[in-house]
Amino acid sequence: MITTQAAVIDSPGAPFSLQEIELDNPRPTEIQVRMTAAGICHTDLTVGAGHIPFPLPGVLGHEGTGVVEAVGSAVTRVVPGDTVVLTFTSCGHCASCRTAHPAYCTTWIPQNLIGGKRADGTSPISRGGQTLGGRFFGQSSFARHAIVDERSAVKVDGDLPPELLAPLGCSVQTGAGAVWNTLRPEPGTSIAILGVGAVGTAAVMAAALTPVSTIVAIGRRPDQLVLATKFGATHTINTDEVEMAAGLRDITGGTGVDYVVEAIGNPDLLRTAIESLAPRGAVAVVGAPPYGVDVSLDVHRLLPGRRVLGVCEGDSDPERLIPLLADLVRTGRLPIQPLIREYPFEEIQTASDDFRSGQATKAVLRFEA
Ligand SMILES: [Zn+2]
Ligand SMILES: [Zn+2]
């Protein structure tokens, strides 16, 4: 067992509080990672606020990067000294896992989001002998060290700065995967990205690497829309100035848009996105509102082949996608650096406030060695 410092959420809605915690030694399929960076993602805030159930007090954090310090006896993917990007976990055995769709693992929700513990009911994290919620996305990476499920760890080359690696574990693969894995736009089609935060902007960059002819970035922050244009958006719609449906009609000459990535989690905008589709068009639903939020539809809008597709983590097979994303970042084809604002780990609450208010498109915590 080791002692380390973590950012604990003590109760729903409570701030992050830096505390000393104890970590188990790695079990056979676990690894011990010294964190070098961790991104803050909306799911951390939603869970911390209590909108998604998770055992609190607990430790969140689900897109980290670090260096492997120790491995369990059955670990085969990594060895001590490897640089890893931490992402979601999965069982490895169910039908989705066996067909390279681990984001749709039958155990996904309990193992990543709400369980707070290993499959056997234990948590690797405790505080003064009291068990804390841990294993968030197999990692709970808002801590200087983490006990990580082997299936959450993807080995990458260690040459990229940690602040560029961490966001690959969730937000970047979510946006890029929604375009490449789920929508797979054909040459000459149009795609609209609803939301220009980290996920939406990653989707814009990913779309720019496909042969679509039209990429519409939709948001409210003028600075983020300008950035989206630099990253490949051919058009922008500021919804404070132009109604989204009218804007999409204008841009597509009235035919509707072929593909939409909904990266906000707003049910009214989702409905508008569905209604703005061309026949046979598809919306990828990426943004997650709180549990229990409904969307109503005129069913007849769907009949001309329109599709609504839920997407989790970009339907990514992380072992394949994350090293590719790292390569694209390295060669400048996925230029995520301008999205990132770095904070020392101790300033996690400020980072989280800035992220929530939009001051930071992607807040990344850095851990001193
Ligand atoms: Zn996330
Ligand atoms: Zn599975």
Side-chain angles (χ1 to χ4, degrees):
M1 183 179 277
I2 65 160
T3 301
T4 192
Q5 189 185 42
V8 176
I9 297 273
D10 270 298
S11 58
F16 290 103
S17 146
L18 292 186
Q19 300 177 14
E20 207 160 84
I21 57 154
E22 300 95 50
L23 285 178
D24 284 356
N25 290 322
R27 298 265 178 99
T29 57
E30 292 177 342
I31 64 176
Q32 180 181 312
V33 177
R34 175 177 59 78
M35 303 306 305
T36 53
I40 299 178
C41 211
H42 281 291
T43 307
D44 298 306
L45 305 186
T46 313
V47 172
H51 299 312
I52 293 174
F54 182 83
L56 299 175
V59 179
L60 304 174
H62 69 280
E63 53 172 33
T65 185
V67 177
V68 177
E69 286 188 326
V71 302
S73 57
V75 166
T76 57
R77 291 186 178 197
V78 294
V79 297
D82 282 348
T83 296
V84 286
V85 169
L86 305 184
T87 183
F88 65 89
T89 189
S90 53
C91 78
H93 311 298
C94 71
S96 293
C97 284
R98 282 188 278 109
T99 52
H101 296 281
Y104 303 139
C105 177
T106 51
T107 70
W108 203 90
I109 299 276
Q111 276 215 51
N112 289 286
L113 198 56
I114 65 175
K117 41 181 112 62
R118 303 178 176 105
D120 70 0
T122 60
S123 168
I125 305 178
S126 55
R127 179 181 64 189
Q130 174 203 13
T131 296
L132 300 193
R135 283 285 278 224
F136 192 55
F137 285 66
Q139 56 185 281
S140 289
S141 50
F142 290 159
R144 294 188 186 278
H145 296 82
I147 294 296
V148 175
D149 185 71
E150 180 184 19
R151 288 184 63 82
S152 281
V154 178
K155 183 184 170 182
V156 293
D157 291 340
D159 60 331
L160 280 175
E163 67 274 15
L164 297 184
L165 284 174
L168 307 184
C170 182
S171 43
V172 175
Q173 83 171 347
T174 295
V179 178
W180 295 340
N181 296 328
T182 302
L183 295 177
R184 298 170 171 264
E186 302 88 351
T189 52
S190 57
I191 185 167
I193 317 293
L194 186 41
V196 280
V199 172
T201 307
V204 168
M205 292 179 196
L209 291 168
T210 73
V212 296
S213 59
T214 304
I215 302 172
V216 188
I218 304 174
R220 300 172 66 181
R221 290 266 313 269
D223 54 333
Q224 288 179 324
L225 289 169
V226 168
L227 259 188
T229 308
K230 290 200 179 120
F231 296 140
T234 58
H235 302 74
T236 60
I237 297 175
N238 183 333
T239 52
D240 281 342
E241 294 164 4
V242 177
E243 202 267 316
M244 179 173 123
L248 285 174
R249 258 197 315 277
D250 279 353
I251 291 165
T252 60
T255 59
V257 66
D258 295 307
Y259 297 102
V260 178
V261 175
E262 203 290 321
I264 294 180
N266 177 308
D268 295 328
L269 294 176
L270 174 56
R271 181 187 163 115
T272 304
I274 297 164
E275 290 175 343
S276 300
L277 287 176
R280 298 187 298 117
V283 177
V285 183
V286 173
Y291 271 22
V293 171
D294 287 347
V295 174
S296 68
L297 286 178
D298 178 345
V299 173
H300 286 267
R301 297 294 301 174
L302 287 179
L303 298 185
R306 295 188 175 97
R307 291 165 294 148
V308 181
L309 304 162
V311 193
C312 180
E313 295 285 342
D315 189 10
S316 160
D317 178 6
E319 282 274 286
R320 279 171 41 208
L321 187 62
I322 287 177
L324 167 65
L325 293 171
D327 274 348
L328 292 171
V329 170
R330 184 178 293 110
T331 53
R333 299 174 74 200
L334 204 66
I336 61 173
Q337 206 277 331
L339 305 179
I340 291 164
R341 189 191 282 194
E342 293 177 61
Y343 299 81
F345 177 51
E346 302 78 48
E347 292 175 22
I348 182 169
Q349 190 56 44
T350 307
S352 146
D353 293 343
D354 287 356
F355 178 61
R356 186 185 286 107
S357 70
Q359 299 277 308
T361 303
K362 171 53 64 178
V364 176
L365 307 167
R366 289 298 309 273
F367 300 83
E368 307 303 324

